[in-house]
Amino acid sequence: MPSTTVNGRHILKQHATGYPIPGTTTVYDTSERLDLDNVALNGGVLAKLVILSIDPYLLHSVSPGSPMEQAAETCSSEAYGSDRINGMGIVKVVRSEDPAYKVGEYFTSSLSRARLTSSSDHQEYSVFSKEQLSSLQHLKPENGLPLSVYLGAAGAGARSRFIPSLFKMYQPCIPSGLTAFAGWEEFSNAKKGDTVFVSTAAGAVGSIVVQLAQNQGLKIIGSAGSDDKVKYLKQLGVDVAFNYKTTDTREALEKDGPVDIYWDNVGRDTLDAAVENATSGARVIICGAMSSYNGETTAGVKNLIHVTFKSIVLYGLSYFDIAHKHDAKFKETVIPKLADGTFKYLEDRKFGLDKAPQAILDVQNGANFGKSVIVVGDE
Amino acid sequence: MPSTTVNGRHILKQHATGYPIPGTTTVYDTSERLDLDNVALNGGVLAKLVILSIDPYLLHSVSPGSPMEQAAETCSSEAYGSDRINGMGIVKVVRSEDPAYKVGEYFTSSLSRARLTSSSDHQEYSVFSKEQLSSLQHLKPENGLPLSVYLGAAGAGARSRFIPSLFKMYQPCIPSGLTAFAGWEEFSNAKKGDTVFVSTAAGAVGSIVVQLAQNQGLKIIGSAGSDDKVKYLKQLGVDVAFNYKTTDTREALEKDGPVDIYWDNVGRDTLDAAVENATSGARVIICGAMSSYNGETTAGVKNLIHVTFKSIVLYGLSYFDIAHKHDAKFKETVIPKLADGTFKYLEDRKFGLDKAPQAILDVQNGANFGKSVIVVGDE
């Protein structure tokens, strides 16, 4: 009898239209067992999940009825009918039948979206078939940065450019570091003397944006959802940091604005307040819309008159359309700054894949402090 | 005893926060009399209003509590405390003490916003003091086009570029022709094979946009608020024309989209439907927000996820920031096409300044068919 190992999985048990309910709609399941030594690879690779990235966009894997999922469908034109949850992670090769993938090497994995022959999802062990190997990207940690940082502040690449046919197969991998850098480079058009407002400024993307703006000597207003996060923003050197739960965003911007650049991670009232307190010619970079991820559809700009009167431009930031243009410069300029401590990053580390259901919800509720990662296995 | 003439005026009797109520908040008043032969000019000009332009943005003169007014205030930083209603018109010089302004000549007038010594508002006769003469721009009708068309389809200029200090003094003049042309040239980035959606496509701006798109051979979807307007759009050669009151915009765009360019005149649900049915990289030109002019604040993009997933850019079109760049080409290319009948235009003509209160409301409700003008006096 071959010996088998429990292959813990984070799966979608029931569809949810709003936030997932850990333990009900999303569960950690230990019913699957795998014979690590003998499972057929068919020219592929058996890999162990080491670090899992927990990001806001994961909601569309765990709440297939959400507006986010609908938007994704218009891109992928493929129905989602699986109990699998996909995201971004770092895997380590355990067995290999392909010489390009050596045992012990690390790969960033975009994990598979489609139901292919083998599994490659939120689970401790995955077999990547020959066809699925293109979803893996070799990761060589340098500069002494911990592996997990390559899923966050130092995260880049994953795929050089957006290929619609691959998007049907693989979930988007959107590392926060290059998201911030590419969006800032592409759209901010930052000028000396500009005032920048960043919402969820202590978050994985926001905190990098803040430091990029700071690096250019701009005035920075940052909002966050707890006093601890506000304290962190002040440590980062943010000029005006406030807790949006206790300070009215509109009042804060009236006092310390107007705003030339708004990096929007939340949408809804915050976006409205920013547009109302924007200068003529202001740029709004719409990076996320946390307030509408959960199925509510009231997010957005209510008062478009400000947009027209003030020639405001709102840019939708889609990582895949711009990341490849800024990847090289990011690696050259930002990663060294992270490694030598000039740029700061924070991680919210949890241990064990059984923490995944709660971690996804925490990110939606802002209960994480720093980039959320789950350490699944030993490095 | 000098003989005096009734100087009919359209004035703001009460403030309104939503739509004006003709006869209550806005009234036609005949209590003022003027001695045309002897009124002091102090180096200025006495002019007779010939044609008055009735445009959506007038709401912020007649409903000072509306969001539109609030937006204007953030630009002008001047409190509005007058019973005067200002807009754009064409005036004819009756008496002059300035040799640069000759009796019988026509001028486009941006009318005065501030309470200066003499009046220059929605009224039959106005004295433009020496200081106010800069609000007049000489108009020499050419090409045989009726005078009124220079307030609409052939309307351009008024001021070569936005000067904030003048904005405090004078209301914006936003002629529909150059608004359409400048916005299209600046933001559309139209490419062969593109599909364009225009809301209020039969309107003063929309109908020019439609013809500019048609001139480039693009596929055009146009919506309007009546079957007559839809019929007119079909006469213009719009590929897909529909009445948004009887056809669901979302369904129409699902069927005949997706949309590469959306020219937005309305905001709210229509903007949402367009964003949901937009291609990756789509351009949205936000020219107006009729659905939020009246004090309601529910307009806007509800589903920002589409904006981010599809790298959509939303451009706020502020006439004053871009018109000067496109003025010359507009006069060279569009006005001749209007004069020779290649480009069509429709006017909704009313006679007499007493029609102004209702005309402003009609434009808000879409009850006008074509560019709304009031013929106030004989040419």
Side-chain angles (χ1 to χ4, degrees), chain A residues 249-266:
Chain A
T249 299
R250 197 166 267 101
E251 281 170 25
L253 297 181
E254 275 165 15
K255 184 170 169 284
D256 292 297
V259 167
D260 300 292
I261 302 167
Y262 171 44
W263 186 283
D264 180 45
N265 289 311
V266 292

Side-chain angles (χ1 to χ4, degrees), chain A residues 67-68 71-72 267 271 280 286 289 293 297 299-309 311-318 321, chain B residues 67-68 71-72 267 271 280 286 289 293 297 299-309 311-318 321:
Chain A
M68 189 165 195
L271 178 51
S280 186
I286 301 176
Y293 280 180
T297 53
V301 189
K302 286 181 194 162
N303 205 335
L304 287 171
I305 291 165
H306 291 275
V307 173
T308 60
F309 269 51
S311 292
I312 295 170
V313 184
L314 296 94
Y315 298 98
L317 194 174
S318 177
D321 289 342
Chain B
M68 190 166 195
L271 178 51
S280 187
I286 300 177
Y293 280 0
T297 53
V301 189
K302 287 180 194 162
N303 205 334
L304 287 171
I305 292 164
H306 290 274
V307 173
T308 58
F309 269 52
S311 291
I312 294 171
V313 184
L314 295 94
Y315 296 99
L317 192 175
S318 176
D321 290 341

Side-chain angles (χ1 to χ4, degrees), chain A residues 40-291:
Chain A
L41 302 184
N42 301 313
V45 157
L46 172 69
K48 187 176 190 301
L49 185 58
V50 180
I51 319 258
L52 187 62
S53 178
I54 302 294
D55 300 290
Y57 63 77
L58 276 174
L59 189 71
H60 86 111
S61 274
V62 298
S63 293
S66 73
M68 189 165 195
E69 177 62 15
Q70 290 162 28
E73 289 307 325
T74 62
C75 300
S76 73
S77 70
E78 186 201 46
Y80 191 93
S82 165
D83 64 349
R84 299 173 182 195
I85 299 170
N86 301 277
M88 186 160 127
I90 294 171
V91 298
K92 188 179 187 178
V93 176
V94 175
R95 280 175 52 215
S96 174
E97 291 182 356
D98 185 322
Y101 299 80
K102 291 185 180 59
V103 171
E105 282 183 334
Y106 295 105
F107 291 85
T108 307
S109 164
S110 54
L111 303 179
S112 165
R113 179 181 175 88
R115 270 194 174 280
L116 298 182
T117 45
S118 299
S119 53
S120 49
D121 305 84
H122 272 206
Q123 55 194 28
E124 286 162 2
Y125 293 94
S126 292
V127 174
F128 292 84
S129 68
K130 213 169 173 52
E131 295 72 33
Q132 291 173 318
L133 288 176
S134 63
S135 76
L136 297 180
Q137 197 173 56
H138 197 192
L139 176 67
K140 261 193 278 189
E142 285 161 1
N143 302 306
L145 283 168
L147 214 51
S148 55
V149 181
Y150 287 91
L151 291 176
R159 190 149 292 117
S160 63
R161 56 188 292 273
F162 178 65
I163 302 163
S165 63
L166 280 177
F167 191 85
K168 290 183 191 171
M169 305 261 291
Y170 303 110
Q171 284 294 78
C173 300
I174 306 179
S176 42
L178 184 51
T179 298
F181 184 76
W184 183 259
E185 290 278 304
E186 184 83 16
F187 302 123
S188 72
N189 194 17
K191 293 178 194 74
K192 209 185 154 192
D194 276 354
T195 296
V196 186
F197 171 45
V198 183
S199 56
T200 66
V205 173
S207 62
I208 300 295
V209 172
V210 157
Q211 294 178 82
L212 291 168
Q214 199 173 34
N215 199 41
Q216 290 185 252
L218 310 183
K219 177 181 174 182
I220 304 158
I221 305 172
S223 66
S226 76
D227 291 343
D228 280 348
K229 289 178 184 175
V230 168
K231 202 174 155 190
Y232 176 62
L233 289 179
K234 285 178 180 162
Q235 285 168 5
L236 285 183
V238 166
D239 301 278
V240 180
F242 66 94
N243 180 343
Y244 70 84
K245 291 178 181 169
T246 53
T247 299
D248 185 73
T249 299
R250 197 166 267 101
E251 281 170 25
L253 297 181
E254 275 165 15
K255 184 170 169 284
D256 292 297
V259 167
D260 300 292
I261 302 167
Y262 171 44
W263 186 283
D264 180 45
N265 289 311
V266 292
R268 221 189 296 204
D269 291 340
T270 312
L271 178 51
D272 266 330
V275 165
E276 284 167 29
N277 291 288
T279 57
S280 186
R283 287 78 70 200
V284 175
I285 302 159
I286 301 176
C287 178
M290 288 294 288
S291 63

